[in-house]
Amino acid sequence: MPGYCFYWLGKINPFAERLFNTIKTAVLLFILLVATANVNAQNFTRLTIDTDLTWARGVSWIDIDNDNDLDLYVTNNDFGGAATFNAARNLNKLFRNDGNDVFVEITSPDMADDTSFTLGQTWADYDNDGHLDLYVANYNAIYERFLSTTTALGSELFRNEGPQDYALARITSGDASSLNRIGGFAAAWADYNNDGFVDLIITTPTANFYPNEELSNVLFDNNGDGTFSNNTGSIIVNGPADAYTIPTWTDYDLDGDMDLFITAGPVQNGVLQPDYFFKNWLVESGSVLFERDLTSNFATDPRDGQQASWVDYDNDGDLDLYVTNFGGTPGVTSGMANDFYRNDNGVYTKITSGSLVTDAKLSIGQTWGDFDNDGDLDLYVTNVTSPSNFGGNNYYRNNGAPNYTFTRVSGSDFVAGSRAGWGASSGDYDNDGDLDLYVTINTLTAGAAQDALYRNDLANGNHWINIKCIGTTSNRAAIGTKVRVKATVFGNTFWQLREISSQNASTGQNSLRAHFGLGDAAVIDSLVIDWPSGTTDIATNMQSNQFVTVTEGGQITAIDENPPLAPADFKLQQNFPNPFNPTTTIQFTLPRAAGVTLKVFDMLGREVATLLEGELRAGAHSVVFEARDLSSGFYFYKLQVDNLLMVKKMLLMK
């Protein structure tokens, strides 16, 4: 501010001086308020669901009772040691969402007296009956190591019994029985063999588990009949003994099969090492074959990895990688910076500037979401330590195009220095169009704490859409599905991408509903859903600010509306041959004469060919597609008959 002075007859006028100081103070306050408003225009209100002090770990927003609102599940374990151990703090908690910020704690009979020492949780519909089931990874060796006792339970599988009570029933038979001695840090569901049923990986940091026992990771193959087989032959469970922490399934290369990233600590021993990344060659080879990546920088850089997230933060159609690092000792050292890799068309560029990769704390969890609905993904990181000089969680707002840099936001309760967290999960629990947060406040050094729900009271007027996917040929919970939305946001037209995941919130998961912020876009140009089965569904010209359910095969339903008719009055066949090089035949049948358009698109939604456009008679039709000038990869072809759409995927292999 300019340094103006008021003088009267060569001396400072006291009245003028006071007036100047008043004006100066007011202007400075105004500038400060404007700056604060710009940074904190997004207001999070702290609410209390659980009044107990707990040693909370994992957290997930899930719709356990299929009523179209999000319920909450929190895992707990008393990490205070033998002298202060309290078994009651090991009770995991399920809270039913009754609306209007009211949550009711409910306890299934099999969970009422379960004091397992639980770290991780993962939700999916393993039996495809329409209800989300649960697996919890239990660290029950703590009883033997410190309390000189044993427990009857290892990690536990719970089946959702559905209406009326949606009780969670413990499975006590078969390979995945809760009575088996399976110790786990975390777990994750995914259909890695593309058979329509989710399989399960459980990670075990062997050095921290049962005394004098060397445990390995566990892979359960889903048999499709409600049972599982323990797959002991896979490379992902036959690696060296290590401090395996959190597994994350992802189709990182968008080739149609699920790959696996396992972070591997090691916590607090001062030794850094690479994590474990396994590429799945199912689509390329025709059979499941995992191979550990020993060359990519993101797979070979040494770190103290805790949680990996694959997200498209820069809206360029591919998945980038962010890994949280621990790298220190709670209450003693501040930890190490996290790692961030930008996917540049298959080449991973490590980002080395910006607070996302320079803040050095004991990081555990992360959750990505468009919290301000402006069309790009923001990041919340939990840091598990208490001293305020290097404590507190971090919130990074994405500044968007063209550079997609981040600004660390301060001054809010959920990033206060005294707030340290293990996990955080995002989901729109109050169905108001913005993402809310639940944070498990866990200090490791200062005893039990009280968790916090942060309701997002966003008031910037930005548009949004929230999409629930239901698989039919694919697994029912749609784990592994890619959802893309194209819209013109603040004058820029681009695609946004979300991948439905069962482990993306540090020993827990975010809502399975895909949320997109849309800024000023009132209409979505295109919605494209790539299912694990290979089916692709497309919708166009959708209104924003709505919750929709998409059932595999093209049926789209707004919440509380009657389902529209499925597009079943014409047939589109799978191309043959498939894979192909360089020509293939596409066949379809029309029940009546109609206007027809047949086009081919690449995986980013760009049109590469128009095969047909015009009126056709009723009956069978075939078109030969030649891809001599295209590169190898997946493409999808879209048949539009009047207002009806059908899409299928094909693979060009040269």
Side-chain angles (χ1 to χ4, degrees), residues 504-519:
N504 52 7
S506 180
T507 61
Q509 67 198 69
N510 300 323
S511 167
L512 293 174
R513 306 189 306 197
H515 171 272
F516 296 85
L518 297 170

Side-chain angles (χ1 to χ4, degrees), residues 468-595:
K468 176 182 178 180
C469 298
I470 299 177
T472 52
T473 305
S474 303
N475 70 90
R476 180 83 175 190
I479 304 297
T481 298
K482 271 80 71 179
V483 184
R484 293 179 173 86
V485 164
K486 180 184 179 184
T488 301
V489 179
F490 300 127
N492 298 312
T493 302
F494 52 84
W495 288 90
Q496 297 183 60
L497 168 64
R498 306 286 186 267
E499 184 180 49
I500 309 300
S501 173
S502 68
Q503 181 58 256
N504 52 7
S506 180
T507 61
Q509 67 198 69
N510 300 323
S511 167
L512 293 174
R513 306 189 306 197
H515 171 272
F516 296 85
L518 297 170
D520 61 348
V523 176
I524 297 167
D525 299 337
S526 301
L527 167 66
V528 176
I529 300 180
D530 290 322
W531 303 89
S533 66
T535 299
T536 298
D537 288 323
I538 298 178
T540 58
N541 297 320
M542 297 180 63
Q543 295 296 314
S544 63
N545 295 353
Q546 63 172 328
F547 293 85
V548 297
T549 297
V550 181
T551 302
E552 187 174 8
Q555 180 173 305
I556 300 177
T557 309
I559 286 182
D560 297 329
E561 289 185 4
N562 294 321
L565 295 175
D569 52 352
F570 63 94
K571 293 181 180 179
L572 177 63
Q573 307 296 334
Q574 185 65 53
N575 65 300
F576 180 83
N578 188 41
F580 68 98
N581 179 28
T583 60
T584 188
T585 299
I586 300 171
Q587 297 180 326
F588 59 94
T589 303
L590 301 178
R592 53 179 172 78

Side-chain angles (χ1 to χ4, degrees), residues 51-133:
T51 58
D52 293 338
L53 297 179
T54 63
W55 290 92
R57 294 291 188 265
V59 56
S60 297
W61 288 108
I62 37 87
D63 184 6
I64 192 174
D65 50 5
N66 291 340
D67 63 351
N68 290 321
D69 59 26
L70 297 178
D71 310 297
L72 184 71
Y73 186 73
V74 180
T75 55
N76 291 290
N77 59 56
D78 186 345
F79 208 26
T84 61
F85 177 76
N86 183 345
R89 288 183 179 151
N90 280 0
L91 287 170
N92 300 327
K93 296 190 176 185
L94 175 63
F95 298 94
R96 186 186 66 230
N97 185 350
D98 284 350
N100 298 316
D101 296 333
V102 175
F103 288 83
V104 177
E105 185 177 353
I106 58 176
T107 304
S108 300
D110 281 349
M111 298 173 64
D113 58 354
D114 185 355
T115 58
S116 294
F117 201 90
T118 304
L119 286 168
Q121 57 172 288
T122 183
W123 294 81
D125 185 358
Y126 78 81
D127 50 3
N128 287 345
D129 66 349
H131 314 302
L132 289 177
D133 310 297

